[in-house]
Amino acid sequence: MIVRLHRGFTLIELLVAVTIAVVLLLMAMPGYLTWVSDSEIRNAAQSVANGLRTAQTTAISRNANVQFVLNPTTWTVATVDAPLVILKTASLNEGSRNTTIVGINAGSTAATTVAFNPLGQVINNAANLVQVDVTLPGIAGTRPLRVLVGNQRTGVKMCDPAWAWPDPKGCPP
């Protein structure tokens, strides 16, 4: 009696396995794209919040007025008084290349600058940046984030506008 050992697998088995793998990959792709997009939004919002906190703590540690300046691709922390000294600059494109970042003042118009006094408080000015909205246009299902500046209750806070305020993730009114 001859016993044949079958080694490997047939072409049909291979095609079935590849078909199952492709179907699973296609089902996972939309969730993966949303996850990557949300990560880009979070990276940009965290970078802006870190820049604002850096400006605030630098004002306290230097015992001087310090400003935060938001540009489309970078943020800068610099002294307010002459001579202007740039203390720190960071890129917003690292890990968040496709995001849109919009600074808004209390009058709901575009703003790019906020200044902190030596106590770490926002220097009152109508043109001050009070919030930064971070979005990723063109990708459905992403969650925009907001960074609030100088709110008396929260200081610098990153929040999700989709959540109601009592929730810690929500944005205060």
Side-chain angles (χ1 to χ4, degrees), residues 108-126:
S108 295
T109 59
T112 59
T113 306
V114 63
F116 296 94
N117 67 17
L119 297 175
Q121 300 168 332
V122 173
I123 297 173
N124 288 332
N125 183 346

Side-chain angles (χ1 to χ4, degrees), residues 47-165:
S47 179
V48 170
N50 290 339
L52 288 162
R53 289 184 187 110
T54 298
Q56 190 175 32
T57 56
T58 302
I60 295 168
S61 65
R62 288 177 145 255
N63 197 26
N65 294 336
V66 173
Q67 66 182 343
F68 171 85
V69 181
L70 181 66
N71 295 319
T73 58
T74 63
W75 56 259
T76 304
V77 174
T79 59
V80 172
D81 304 320
L84 180 71
V85 178
I86 295 177
L87 304 170
K88 185 170 183 176
T89 300
S91 173
L92 292 170
N93 286 337
E94 296 173 13
S96 56
R97 184 167 293 134
N98 302 317
T99 57
T100 300
I101 299 169
V102 178
I104 300 170
N105 67 14
S108 295
T109 59
T112 59
T113 306
V114 63
F116 296 94
N117 67 17
L119 297 175
Q121 300 168 332
V122 173
I123 297 173
N124 288 332
N125 183 346
N128 268 352
L129 183 69
V130 295
Q131 80 181 37
V132 178
D133 290 333
V134 182
T135 58
L136 190 64
I139 306 288
T142 59
R143 299 184 68 107
L145 291 177
R146 180 173 290 157
V147 179
L148 300 175
V149 185
N151 187 309
Q152 294 299 324
R153 289 183 277 180
T154 60
V156 175
K157 176 179 175 52
M158 188 172 76
C159 59
D160 186 343
W163 289 82
W165 163 238

